[in-house]
Amino acid sequence: MNETTRPTPGTTSEPVAVVGMAGRFPGAASTDELWQGLLDGVESVRRFSDEEMAAAGVSPERITSAGRVPRGADLADADLFDAGFFGVTQRDARLMDPQHRVFLTCAWQALEDAGLAPHHAGGPVGVFASTSLSTYLLANVLRSAEYADAALSYPVMLGNDKDFLATRVSYKLDLRGPSMTVQTACSSSLTAVHLACQALARGEIRAALAGGVSITFPQTSGYEYQEGGILSRDGHCRVFDARSAGTIKGNGCGVVVLKRLADALEDGDRVYAVIRGTAVNNDGSDKIGFTAPGPQGQRAVIRAALDASGLPASDIGYVETHGTGTAVGDPLELHALTAAYREAGGPAPDCAIGSLKANIGHLDAAAGVTGLIKAALALHHQKVPRQINYDTPNPHLRLDEQPYEVPTESLAYPPAAPLRAAAVSSFGLGGTNAHAVLAAPPVREEPPAGQPGVHYPVVLSARDAEALADQVRGLRALLDGAEPPAVRDIAYTLLTGRALLPVRHVFEAATHDELREGLDAYLAGAHPGAALPEDGWAHGAALKVSLPGYPLRPERHWIEPDTRAGAVAAAPAATPAAEAAEMVAAVEAADDQVLERVLALLEQGLGIDQLAPDDDFYELGGDSMLAVEIVTALRDLFGVEVDVDEFAGLRTPDEMAAHIRAALAGTSAAHSGITAVRKGTGTPVYLVPPAGGTNFLYFRLADQTAPGVPLRALSFPGDAALRPATLRELAALYVEWIRREQPQGPYRLGGYSFGGNVAFEMALQLQRAGEQVELLLMLDTHVPETYVGGHLDAEEFEAVFPVLFEAAAVRGVDPRMLRERGFLDVWQHNHDLLKGYYPDRRFDGDLVLLQAEEPEGNALLDALRMNPRDKSLWGAHITGHLVVEKVPGDHFSMFDEGDRIARLGAALGSALAPYGQEG
């Protein structure tokens, strides 16, 4: 077993029953409503009106801005809570994060659904809970006139801090097992399920509550679309679809009740599904950045959960994927899923895949458990809901080569060919991955009928007489429905599965008619009994059944922010773009105002106070992902378009402010196509971008190189209609650009990968024009013979994309850039140029090659129809010496942070050192 497939530590294999569930979701007040909505293909993402956005605090300018997406998946009645039932004071209810209130309510309802009363649990009950950041604290409490200065007060902290989510549930519901908040970003609640299963397997607890909640306030503000971000461009989540363009933030809560399967069967519990194996791991550093997905980690955790389950992988007939609807993330996830299941011999033929994020949005900390609820209900009902917002498959998925199908109609499984098992994936920002394997519930056998005429104790209790009367009415309505549960099972569930509350009514019944008579008598005013029966069940085995829940009476508990100008200091925004949205829209062109706003924006994004005007964005921790946010925020704040490559050259707040002032004044010069990477003295080195057209790698590399000659980066033409049709034409365009800036030689040229090939042709053209080229530098550039023959058309290149992405995504290329910012299209265009190029002469001079020590791997080369050739063949294309210096890593990992990029930078510095002493 190799490193990829070895089970990760901490997997679970004890069969664990899902015996109860509850939740609140966009468009669904319960798990039953959620399930029906999934079967009906309901999309609960909706458009917000201008009035709703204005009420949420969005300015008129933002409401009408071109980038505003007025859509989201909000949770109804998130401001309501039955404080009296849970013994919470009015003041504390107002201060408490609605996420905590909703989770507490759902935890209670999940225990009711499971028929599990703490006093009758037979052992300790644990709580494993997850939540998102308290935006209610930031947007409401700390912006109110009453609590603006109360950030560290005990009531505010206890009501809003994540630490108290699980322990409040344990306290309010009298649960005595381990109680902990679990935080792993989007995978939090499925990780919580994993920890609960482990605790059950170790025998620490008799049962567990596990789940998560995520509600972001204000709910109806919509969002500002950010190019390169994860949120959808059109306000729809289109998982697996060719039009996939991002996800949508949803709001909701999900909670499940878990027991060891043996205990659940002994207790007569209704079992939705059986968790047969779970696993959790982390990607570590085997990816491009902290927030990037890690295909190897995903593959490993899936295989580990499969191994822990003991089930044949061929039993898995449905997988609820993480499925965020991003053009890059979905193919990456699916190929990791395929690799893991095929290694294990599965999945089942025609295995279905889906993601409810298309229906209700991405629930963040509640996403994983909500996916588990869907999978458990699929096994319980033997149905798989259809996938909405899916018409044409994303070509990068290569579904025709995968063992999966996306159902466009709901699937029903007959008894002769049941859905045997399902699985759930949840992957967290930051790299914590979780996977769970579920099996269908065992057939529940009816217990012996018992003695005819046996009277069973019917125990009803509530906090007050009004609630008790509502309970009686609810039970009476159940009896009037089709096929009501047996009296024995109703009585058993009421006695052992409901909390004993102060106001009680007890009577006996042997038949449905007697039960109806007893309920009607209570409603008519006859209250003869209140004494509880002796503990225990003296009349033989019985089953837990679904009964109406406690009639909660939620009321509004809410703190309104003080929106008067200057009344309260602004609370920190969640993102740079959100911070920009709170700044004054009308910006004067005065120096101090522009610089002040740029500094505030960067301080928010970098998390640094008192940023200096000459501080370097990248030296302080800025990266390409944050750059995308900052560029978007600058555009929104000032109305100025800033190219990402241009931004890479605007390293300090002073430089950014100067660029914005010039644009506002209409005096900014047209972009020359050349961006300064590093200042220096003497003749610059011009660097050609690699395939994909981004120059971020050069900026990172320059930071690792000793000061010396200036470095400039050429920008790939942005307008697709003006892109050169051949590599020679592209080289000629670049030569024209650099000769405008430097009319005469000697010239110094370099480039990484494709950029090195273009630099070589530029050198030939300059020499043909009588110019001197004194430096030609390549970073792991393939020889022309590598590209001879084997052209790929557009469709074939699309099919190759997942292989290309897997090789590059974990090694130094930002995956969002590849597709969502058009870099995949540029990459394909550049590859086509290489396929049609071969030098027509030798370069007259030396060539310096910084070559990766490790081979690139034949899988990618084969997919791109490239011929592996030793890079020493460059010697045949020059008249001078080929100077080769080996650097650690492969074609992509040579740029990895740490020792590798440091050594690459040192090698580059050595190559440039002879040219750095001029005046």
Side-chain angles (χ1 to χ4, degrees):
M1 187 175 291
N2 60 36
E3 190 65 30
T4 299
T5 59
R6 183 178 297 122
T8 54
T11 55
T12 61
S13 56
E14 171 82 24
V16 170
V18 180
V19 298
M21 59 177 62
R24 289 174 57 187
F25 314 94
S30 66
T31 55
D32 287 341
E33 290 185 14
L34 171 70
W35 179 248
Q36 191 59 52
L38 294 175
L39 292 177
D40 293 341
V42 174
E43 181 181 22
S44 295
V45 178
R46 67 181 184 91
R47 182 182 180 87
F48 303 132
S49 67
D50 290 356
E51 291 75 17
E52 286 178 306
M53 289 189 286
V58 183
S59 68
E61 294 80 9
R62 296 292 172 198
I63 291 174
T64 57
S65 72
R68 173 65 55 176
V69 181
R71 293 179 62 81
D74 58 319
L75 183 70
D77 300 330
D79 55 343
L80 305 184
F81 177 58
D82 191 339
F85 176 78
F86 290 106
V88 177
T89 67
Q90 295 292 309
R91 184 203 68 168
D92 287 348
R94 291 177 66 241
L95 279 174
M96 192 186 300
D97 183 354
Q99 295 183 114
H100 291 224
R101 304 183 213 157
V102 170
F103 188 84
L104 175 59
T105 303
C106 288
W108 166 265
Q109 292 170 334
L111 290 177
E112 283 192 319
D113 185 60
L116 178 65
H119 73 280
H120 227 293
V125 178
V127 181
F128 303 82
S130 309
T131 184
S132 296
L133 175 73
S134 178
T135 51
Y136 179 71
L137 173 68
L138 300 178
N140 292 61
V141 177
L142 297 183
R143 291 189 178 186
S144 69
E146 186 177 2
Y147 294 103
D149 298 321
L152 297 180
S153 71
Y154 245 57
V156 172
M157 179 178 66
L158 292 176
N160 291 271
D161 194 273
K162 293 180 178 183
D163 283 0
F164 308 109
L165 175 72
T167 50
R168 176 176 283 108
V169 171
S170 296
Y171 173 68
K172 290 297 182 181
L173 305 187
D174 191 24
L175 308 178
R176 307 299 178 95
S179 185
M180 62 188 71
T181 302
V182 181
Q183 297 301 141
T184 62
C186 320
S187 61
S188 294
S189 56
L190 197 58
T191 301
V193 169
H194 168 75
L195 294 176
C197 290
Q198 284 189 318
L200 285 163
R202 290 192 298 266
E204 294 179 359
I205 51 179
R206 175 76 177 189
L209 279 165
V213 61
S214 179
I215 313 172
T216 301
F217 298 99
Q219 290 196 78
T220 59
S221 59
Y223 58 90
E224 203 71 23
Y225 174 70
Q226 294 183 356
E227 187 69 31
I230 65 168
L231 292 178
S232 169
R233 181 182 294 107
D234 63 2
H236 296 275
C237 183
R238 306 181 188 277
V239 185
F240 312 130
D241 192 76
R243 294 180 294 163
S244 58
T247 193
I248 288 288
K249 174 67 177 78
N251 297 278
C253 176
V255 184
V256 292
V257 180
L258 308 175
K259 279 185 175 181
R260 286 179 293 273
L261 178 61
D263 292 339
L265 296 176
E266 178 184 339
D267 294 342
D269 293 331
R270 180 240 354 259
V271 177
Y272 289 103
V274 179
I275 301 175
R276 292 296 303 268
T278 66
V280 171
N281 73 359
N282 192 275
D283 298 325
S285 61
D286 190 17
K287 55 184 181 178
I288 66 156
F290 178 64
T291 59
Q296 299 305 321
Q298 293 179 13
R299 180 177 174 179
V301 79
I302 293 168
R303 183 60 195 275
L306 277 170
D307 290 344
S309 74
L311 293 177
S314 56
D315 279 2
I316 309 296
Y318 175 68
V319 179
E320 175 68 13
T321 66
H322 185 61
T324 55
T326 58
V328 170
D330 288 353
L332 179 64
E333 176 183 0
L334 187 58
H335 289 286
L337 184 73
T338 297
Y341 272 84
R342 279 181 170 162
E343 286 173 357
D350 303 324
C351 181
I353 54 173
S355 171
L356 51 58
K357 291 180 178 64
N359 301 87
I360 61 173
H362 188 357
L363 299 192
D364 191 58
V369 73
T370 306
L372 181 82
I373 288 171
K374 177 185 173 183
L377 289 173
L379 290 163
H380 178 67
H381 295 290
Q382 287 293 295
K383 292 181 180 179
V384 168
R386 70 182 180 92
Q387 186 65 35
I388 68 168
N389 295 342
Y390 174 79
D391 298 306
T392 304
N394 181 341
H396 307 317
L397 294 174
R398 293 184 292 169
L399 272 176
D400 57 330
E401 302 175 18
Q402 310 297 337
Y404 301 108
E405 292 187 357
V406 182
T408 55
E409 297 295 335
S410 294
L411 306 175
Y413 294 80
L419 178 63
R420 298 180 182 278
V424 186
S425 289
S426 191
F427 307 132
L429 204 69
T432 293
N433 308 302
H435 192 73
V437 177
L438 288 71
V443 176
R444 191 160 75 154
E445 297 181 359
E446 286 288 331
Q451 298 294 324
V454 172
H455 285 70
Y456 299 97
V458 179
V459 179
L460 299 167
S461 67
R463 288 180 59 87
D464 54 53
E466 182 181 352
L468 185 58
D470 287 341
Q471 278 196 307
V472 170
R473 294 186 188 97
L475 189 55
R476 186 66 174 80
L478 175 70
L479 292 175
D480 290 340
E483 299 184 8
V487 174
R488 173 201 62 204
D489 297 337
I490 291 174
Y492 176 64
T493 304
L494 289 172
L495 177 63
T496 66
R498 290 292 188 266
L500 288 175
L501 300 175
V503 180
R504 301 166 183 170
H505 177 60
V506 180
F507 66 97
E508 291 187 342
T511 66
H512 285 125
D513 286 340
E514 289 183 4
L515 182 54
R516 290 187 187 95
E517 291 172 3
L519 297 174
D520 290 342
Y522 180 84
L523 293 175
H527 303 161
L532 292 175
E534 293 183 6
D535 194 29
W537 190 252
H539 305 296
L543 300 177
K544 299 279 184 66
V545 292
S546 294
L547 299 178
Y550 189 90
L552 297 173
R553 296 193 291 266
E555 297 177 346
R556 190 168 195 261
H557 300 278
W558 199 249
I559 294 176
E560 295 287 357
D562 191 337
T563 58
R564 293 173 300 163
V568 183
T575 67
E579 177 70 12
E582 305 228 342
M583 295 181 178
V584 179
V587 177
E588 301 283 336
D591 291 358
D592 58 340
Q593 290 181 321
V594 173
L595 180 59
E596 177 184 346
R597 286 164 173 79
V598 169
L599 285 167
L601 186 64
L602 293 173
E603 287 172 352
Q604 180 64 35
L606 293 166
I608 296 174
D609 294 330
Q610 298 181 337
L611 195 67
D614 60 350
D615 281 341
D616 189 289
F617 172 76
Y618 293 97
E619 290 179 359
L620 293 174
D623 57 21
S624 62
M625 290 188 64
L626 182 56
V628 169
E629 285 201 37
I630 297 295
V631 165
T632 302
L634 290 172
R635 179 201 68 194
D636 294 343
L637 180 58
F638 296 103
V640 173
E641 290 296 333
V642 181
D643 183 81
V644 174
D645 259 2
E646 281 186 288
F647 180 82
L650 305 174
R651 300 179 66 106
T652 68
D654 263 341
E655 292 172 348
M656 296 175 199
H659 178 87
I660 291 165
R661 290 187 205 106
L664 290 171
T667 60
S668 58
H671 188 30
S672 67
I674 301 175
T675 302
V677 174
R678 183 185 72 186
K679 297 178 180 179
T681 57
T683 305
V685 177
Y686 292 96
L687 299 172
V688 182
T694 175
N695 284 309
F696 271 108
L697 290 175
Y698 293 145
F699 286 91
R700 290 171 52 203
L701 188 57
D703 290 337
Q704 304 292 328
T705 308
V709 298
L711 300 179
R712 305 265 206 274
L714 295 156
S715 296
F716 188 78
D719 189 339
L722 300 178
R723 289 173 185 165
T726 69
L727 189 144
R728 285 188 174 87
E729 292 177 8
L730 178 61
L733 177 64
Y734 285 159
V735 166
E736 179 184 347
W737 288 357
I738 66 173
R739 294 191 78 175
R740 288 176 187 167
E741 185 173 280
Q742 183 189 331
Q744 296 179 333
Y747 291 98
R748 299 166 178 175
L749 307 175
Y752 163 52
S753 192
F754 166 79
N757 296 99
V758 179
F760 186 86
E761 174 59 28
M762 292 169 63
L764 295 183
Q765 294 183 16
L766 286 167
Q767 287 186 338
R768 187 182 296 114
E771 295 290 353
Q772 178 187 359
V773 179
E774 67 175 358
L775 174 63
L776 180 57
L777 174 73
M778 295 181 178
L779 282 72
D780 207 52
T781 297
H782 288 290
V783 294
E785 288 80 4
T786 302
Y787 299 98
V788 173
H791 284 264
L792 283 77
D793 60 27
E795 184 176 346
E796 289 171 326
F797 195 89
E798 291 275 321
V800 168
F801 170 66
V803 180
L804 176 63
F805 174 68
E806 185 165 352
V810 297
R811 297 297 188 197
V813 177
D814 190 332
R816 273 162 285 269
M817 292 184 177
L818 290 179
R819 186 64 180 171
E820 298 171 15
R821 293 190 64 85
F823 284 84
L824 175 63
D825 295 334
V826 174
W827 202 318
Q828 179 182 345
H829 174 271
N830 294 171
H831 188 74
D832 289 343
L833 297 190
L834 286 168
K835 283 290 186 178
Y837 173 74
Y838 195 85
D840 58 4
R841 66 182 65 197
R842 292 196 294 172
F843 171 68
D844 188 12
D846 298 337
L847 189 156
V848 179
L849 175 65
L850 306 184
Q851 182 179 349
E853 292 177 339
E854 302 172 13
E856 192 169 342
N858 289 335
L860 178 58
L861 297 180
D862 289 346
L864 292 172
R865 297 180 187 168
M866 294 165 61
N867 314 299
R869 294 289 186 270
D870 195 295
K871 294 183 178 70
S872 64
L873 287 177
W874 274 116
H877 292 278
I878 61 176
T879 63
H881 298 289
L882 176 63
V883 180
V884 179
E885 181 166 355
K886 296 292 184 70
V887 294
D890 61 25
H891 189 72
F892 298 108
S893 67
M894 58 195 286
F895 286 94
D896 279 358
E897 294 293 342
D899 180 66
R900 288 186 175 179
I901 195 171
R903 292 178 61 180
L904 178 60
L908 177 61
S910 297
L912 299 179
Y915 307 95
Q917 303 302 319
E918 57 193 9

